[in-house]
Amino acid sequence: MSAVGSAENPLRVAIVGSGPAGFYTVSNFLKHKDLHVEMDMFDRLPTPFGLVRAGVAPDHQKDKSVMRAYDKSAASPNFRFYGNVEYGSDITMADLQEHYHQIMFTTGAPFDRDLDIPGEDLTGSHSATEFVAWYNGHPDFASRSFDLSQENVAIVGIGNVAMDVARILCKTYDELAETDMADYALEALKRSKVKNVYLLGRRGPAQAAFTPPEIKEMGELVDADVTVRSDEAKLDAASLEAMEAEADKNVEKNVAYINEYSERELTGKSRLLTIRFLVSPTEVIGRDGQVCAIRMVKNEAYQSEDGAVRARATDVFEDLPVGLLFRSVGYRGVALPEIPFHESWGTILNDQGRVQNSDGSQVTGLYTAGWIKRGPSGVIGTNKTCAQETVNCMVEDLGKGTHLNPEHTDPQAMETLLQTRKPNYLSWTDWKTLDEIEHSKGEAAGRPRVKFTSVREMLAATGKG
Ligand code: NAP
């Protein structure tokens, strides 16, 4: 038999998860011109692109332009897409091992982290991930509802997801109507009574997780003022010392924006966004089972032994009246069947993308990239280098003969299996049909696209219902 990766015996790779890390796996493999590789990508949703479709804010269409590059990768004759096929139920590890030499898991981090404080489960307390998935039309979240009749809303955390949520709550209907936000969310936000949005950071402006373009945008909202308390904008001694020791352009820019917002006059816009620093929620207070306030403790900053500026609680408390609460303190990966997992990190056990057993030995043929490999951090492009690192390991292992030895190497075999196991899977052509419908509806409405938000409708539109 010819070597695996030759024209006669192509390397067969399964990719589970069709977000950025999945597509960068494809483009990285395609750069290896001497390697003959056939790639099959699986996603539990009928649609591809993971968080680019269901996470990136609808008013940040530029960030979604990466889909054009993913389209190019998908145009390769050696690429196939199987949407509406879930790993663990529709296909198993044994199925993949029987059909592929190497299996890549790029399933992301779909859940959220808790605050672990009393009252977190009260009605009106949600995760930002739920809200983001809802307004982006993720089919699993389309039926959620959020009480937007509340005037006061708090968002815990000051990363870029928190910025997205705050911006969506502060934008006008006209601004949102230009986006590809789900229709039901657009309608709900049209009726929104939200007036005050609070972003709550547990550390100071110099440790904020948002990035300069995102915090700059907060100062440019059409009908929302932005403000910061001057005592909280002022840098503490530990932050000043850390900034002096290590110059960081992003930190300097963030601090400058916050400083500017603390000096701004309010102009009487309909909404007010208040960014707070050095406060930690300690309890969500309820009335009749519904959130009515959040109790916060004032923190003080200190430099820890590792040099990082951290926050510790003082004995000063404050209750902030809010009727709606979003926790936005990071995404969390979930374990996949039959794959070693690090529970507290929420990542697949791996070394540079090679899946490992708990004793550190390599699991032959299994690999990972993206948030499920390294945790939920970085921008879309970070997944490019992350996938490249893993693909390099895959190519290196192939050279060493370390790969699975699948029973079925005929590409038709997986197709045949799915036709019995999950006949209503969607191919790339099916996805392009949905894509075209969404675009043409969007064009008619002066929007980038009008999204399908139900699996049933997606299947019906592609004749797979
Ligand atoms: P993130 O950047 O890790 O931010 C998490 C925030 O939660 C931080 O402010 C963190 O504060 C805070 N936090 C964590 N635990 C907390 C607790 N117990 N109490 C109070 N605050 C707590 O996470 P993210 O916002 O979910 O974003 C995930 C990744 O996606 C990031 O890399 C982000 O840049 C990226 N993203 C990018 C864009 C964009 O480019 N426009 C948009 C969305 C997301 P500490 O810093 O004190 O831990």
Side-chain angles (χ1 to χ4, degrees):
M1 174 83 99
S2 331
V4 177
S6 61
E8 302 73 33
N9 189 14
L11 170 69
R12 295 193 33 76
V13 176
I15 302 164
V16 180
S18 69
F23 274 98
Y24 291 127
T25 300
V26 178
S27 56
N28 272 297
F29 263 120
L30 292 176
K31 281 186 200 149
H32 290 268
K33 302 279 181 222
D34 50 339
L35 191 65
H36 290 266
V37 52
E38 293 171 349
M39 290 171 273
D40 287 349
M41 180 181 273
F42 301 87
D43 202 292
R44 69 183 198 84
L45 286 183
T47 51
F49 305 142
L51 279 188
V52 174
R53 181 174 165 95
V56 170
D59 60 336
H60 278 184
Q61 286 296 314
K62 258 216 285 217
D63 295 346
K64 295 185 188 245
S65 61
V66 288
M67 291 194 288
R68 285 203 289 274
Y70 304 161
D71 272 341
K72 265 195 188 162
S73 297
S76 161
N78 296 335
F79 171 87
R80 297 186 300 187
F81 175 71
Y82 295 108
N84 200 30
V85 177
E86 185 165 24
Y87 168 74
S89 54
D90 300 320
I91 46 162
T92 63
M93 176 66 86
D95 296 328
L96 295 177
Q97 286 170 330
E98 278 174 26
H99 291 80
Y100 301 94
H101 298 101
Q102 294 182 328
I103 307 162
M104 171 72 118
F105 290 91
T106 52
T107 48
F111 291 103
D112 59 279
R113 291 180 47 223
D114 290 340
L115 288 170
D116 207 14
I117 58 172
E120 207 172 346
D121 297 330
L122 286 167
T123 305
S125 165
H126 307 271
S127 71
T129 45
E130 268 176 83
F131 188 59
V132 168
W134 172 76
Y135 64 60
N136 273 317
H138 189 302
D140 293 356
F141 295 83
S143 60
R144 301 290 168 97
S145 62
F146 301 89
D147 183 5
L148 297 168
S149 69
Q150 297 295 332
E151 289 194 357
N152 303 315
V153 185
I155 304 161
V156 181
I158 48 170
N160 281 335
V161 170
M163 296 291 126
D164 287 347
V165 170
R167 220 177 44 251
I168 294 299
L169 289 170
C170 285
K171 281 202 164 178
T172 61
Y173 173 76
D174 287 347
E175 287 172 285
L176 298 175
E178 292 172 353
T179 73
D180 66 353
M181 168 177 283
D183 281 350
Y184 56 73
L186 195 54
E187 279 313 301
L189 285 158
K190 189 179 185 178
R191 296 189 301 273
S192 164
K193 296 274 184 292
V194 170
K195 277 202 174 127
N196 289 298
V197 177
Y198 300 94
L199 276 162
L200 308 177
R202 65 176 168 181
R203 296 190 285 165
Q207 294 82 44
F210 51 66
T211 41
E214 278 64 31
I215 191 65
K216 177 173 183 276
E217 240 184 309
M218 294 308 193
E220 298 164 349
L221 295 165
V222 170
D223 198 22
D225 281 315
V226 59
T227 188
V228 178
R229 279 168 44 159
S230 55
D231 60 327
E232 291 182 351
K234 193 166 177 276
L235 293 185
D236 53 86
S239 296
L240 284 170
E241 204 175 305
M243 281 175 72
E244 218 160 275
E246 200 184 324
D248 181 323
K249 284 261 169 299
N250 279 351
V251 171
E252 283 166 18
K253 283 185 195 165
N254 282 349
V255 166
Y257 283 120
I258 294 303
N259 212 23
E260 196 246 301
Y261 297 161
S262 76
E263 289 168 359
R264 268 196 196 186
E265 297 284 331
L266 300 187
T267 63
K269 290 181 177 175
S270 308
R271 289 178 177 143
L272 178 62
L273 171 66
T274 305
I275 310 174
R276 300 285 311 266
F277 294 99
L278 289 165
V279 285
S280 279
T282 56
E283 185 183 347
V284 186
I285 303 167
R287 193 185 305 123
D288 303 328
Q290 158 78 40
V291 174
C292 70
I294 183 161
R295 180 155 297 154
M296 311 187 293
V297 65
K298 187 78 194 154
N299 293 328
E300 61 185 10
Y302 70 99
Q303 193 150 27
S304 64
E305 274 175 17
D306 62 6
V309 177
R310 299 192 196 284
R312 69 182 155 220
T314 65
D315 55 5
V316 179
F317 287 83
E318 173 188 346
D319 287 355
L320 183 71
V322 291
L324 189 58
L325 172 72
F326 294 104
R327 57 178 185 280
S328 182
V329 294
Y331 282 82
R332 184 169 55 84
V334 280
L336 294 159
E338 300 188 68
I339 302 171
F341 197 72
H342 195 299
E343 281 300 336
S344 52
W345 295 349
T347 55
I348 291 176
L349 282 181
N350 77 92
D351 179 27
Q352 294 175 64
R354 289 183 175 102
V355 176
Q356 290 184 317
N357 292 303
S358 51
D359 63 3
S361 59
Q362 185 180 350
V363 183
T364 305
L366 301 199
Y367 300 87
T368 181
W371 279 6
I372 197 65
K373 165 186 170 185
R374 62 174 207 280
S377 66
V379 292
I380 296 170
T382 315
N383 296 297
K384 200 172 191 170
T385 38
C386 179
Q388 186 173 25
E389 179 185 58
T390 307
V391 170
N392 286 346
C393 292
M394 293 166 89
V395 173
E396 192 181 307
D397 289 353
L398 179 68
K400 287 193 236 156
T402 305
H403 54 74
L404 295 163
N405 291 302
E407 210 173 301
H408 309 288
T409 49
D410 175 2
Q412 184 55 40
M414 180 43 76
E415 199 105 2
T416 308
L417 176 80
L418 287 175
Q419 271 153 13
T420 51
R421 196 78 68 72
K422 187 82 181 196
N424 59 352
Y425 66 82
L426 264 69
S427 65
W428 192 255
T429 310
D430 293 326
W431 153 243
K432 290 314 279 180
T433 302
L434 295 181
D435 192 33
E436 258 176 58
I437 298 173
E438 290 189 344
H439 272 301
S440 60
K441 280 188 183 168
E443 213 171 305
R447 303 172 59 191
R449 68 171 69 227
V450 174
K451 280 182 177 176
F452 283 96
T453 60
S454 110
V455 171
R456 195 178 45 78
E457 284 169 10
M458 293 180 203
L459 296 180
T462 47
K464 303 278 173 100

